[in-house]
Amino acid sequence: MILNKFSLTGKVALVTGCKRGIGKAMALALAEAGADIIGVSASLEEGSEISTLVTKLGREFHAYQCDFSQRDDLYKFINKVKENHPVIDILVNNAGIIRRAQSLDFSEDDWDAVMDINLKVVFFLSQAFARSRIAANRGGSIINIASLLSFQGGINVPSYTASKSAVAGLTKTLSNEWSASGITVNAVAPGYVVTNNTEALRKDEARNQAILDRIPIGRWAAPEDICGAVTFLASPAARYVTGITLPVDGGWLGR
């Protein structure tokens, strides 16, 4: 009975940015819990590794390509998914980018690129998801991927910090508006994870050691370390959990 509350059997989950890293790990974890997956990335194909892994679990995988930096592509994707998949139970807003430069030198183009993908896309995908679920009088789960920089300032990443701080705030306001309709809205804030986005930090020997010294668990996270929180928030076990940003950071914020 208790285990059934964590099951996603019969559910459909849309995961953005699922070709690699955290997104790939989350899509696979949701499939392992029983969900069919709609995956979207800028270069995702049906024969990709995540597609193969999900189908080996006996779950369906539907691949879509979308360049979220292009506004027209975003809305074409939204309309196509609504047409092809009228029922989506879970939305995981994972797609994101980062640009690094000192604030004195940060360009407007880099600012806009990060804010568009990390924040605007999150809002409008969530809006489309909620409209569909509310019109059908059905609940659902939205899980946004925030960051430790939803709580802290970071160094040389002004647009990323601003976008992820905004994701935490947006999570609260959407929860306030939609929870009464049965749509829970939460965020997960990963700590320092081994992904493409953190490669520059890991290659900086001094910075890498400073990060490790701050993490009580004593290591960087693997993408799979983030999956338990996401699967929980997507499941019936979390039906009374909404409006939170849950850190999964190896103890970083508690230090």
Side-chain angles (χ1 to χ4, degrees), residues 58-195:
R59 310 312 312 165
E60 294 183 10
F61 186 89
H62 305 276
Y64 288 85
Q65 292 184 6
C66 181
D67 182 354
F68 284 133
S69 68
Q70 303 299 314
R71 182 178 301 181
D72 288 346
D73 285 3
L74 169 63
Y75 291 113
K76 287 177 183 177
F77 167 71
I78 289 173
N79 291 332
K80 189 172 184 179
V81 167
K82 282 185 353 185
E83 180 181 344
N84 293 344
H85 309 280
V87 177
I88 300 174
D89 305 284
I90 300 157
L91 171 63
V92 181
N93 283 310
N94 168 69
I97 62 173
I98 193 168
R99 297 286 187 270
R100 298 182 187 277
Q102 292 186 3
S103 295
L104 288 175
D105 302 321
F106 210 83
S107 72
E108 184 176 356
D109 286 345
D110 280 348
W111 178 273
D112 289 345
V114 172
M115 296 300 286
D116 280 354
I117 291 179
N118 291 12
L119 184 59
K120 183 185 288 186
V121 169
V122 169
F123 175 75
F124 285 106
L125 285 179
S126 297
Q127 182 189 69
F129 175 85
R131 282 174 173 170
S132 175
R133 301 302 289 177
I134 290 171
N137 196 29
R138 300 180 67 171
S141 302
I142 297 173
I143 299 137
N144 299 321
I145 303 305
S147 167
L148 287 183
L149 300 189
S150 301
F151 302 95
Q152 299 179 324
I155 300 170
N156 298 335
V157 285
S159 61
Y160 186 82
T161 299
S163 69
K164 292 301 186 178
S165 295
V167 164
L170 181 64
T171 297
K172 294 174 185 176
T173 196
L174 298 184
S175 172
N176 291 342
E177 294 189 35
W178 298 340
S179 290
S181 298
I183 299 171
T184 59
V185 187
N186 294 291
V188 171
Y192 285 90
V193 186
V194 177
T195 67

Side-chain angles (χ1 to χ4, degrees), residues 8-11 23-37 48-61 224 227 231:
L8 300 179
T9 300
K11 303 295 185 181
K24 175 184 170 185
M26 291 189 299
L28 185 57
L30 293 171
E32 288 174 340
D36 294 325
I37 305 298
S48 64
E49 184 182 10
I50 182 59
S51 174
T52 300
L53 291 171
V54 168
T55 54
K56 280 184 176 179
L57 292 169
R59 310 312 312 165
E60 294 183 10
F61 186 89
E224 293 74 18
C227 296
T231 304

Side-chain angles (χ1 to χ4, degrees), residues 201 204-214 220:
L201 292 178
D204 183 330
E205 188 173 333
R207 187 90 168 90
N208 180 60
Q209 191 59 53
I211 289 168
L212 286 173
D213 289 343
R214 166 79 187 256
W220 286 66

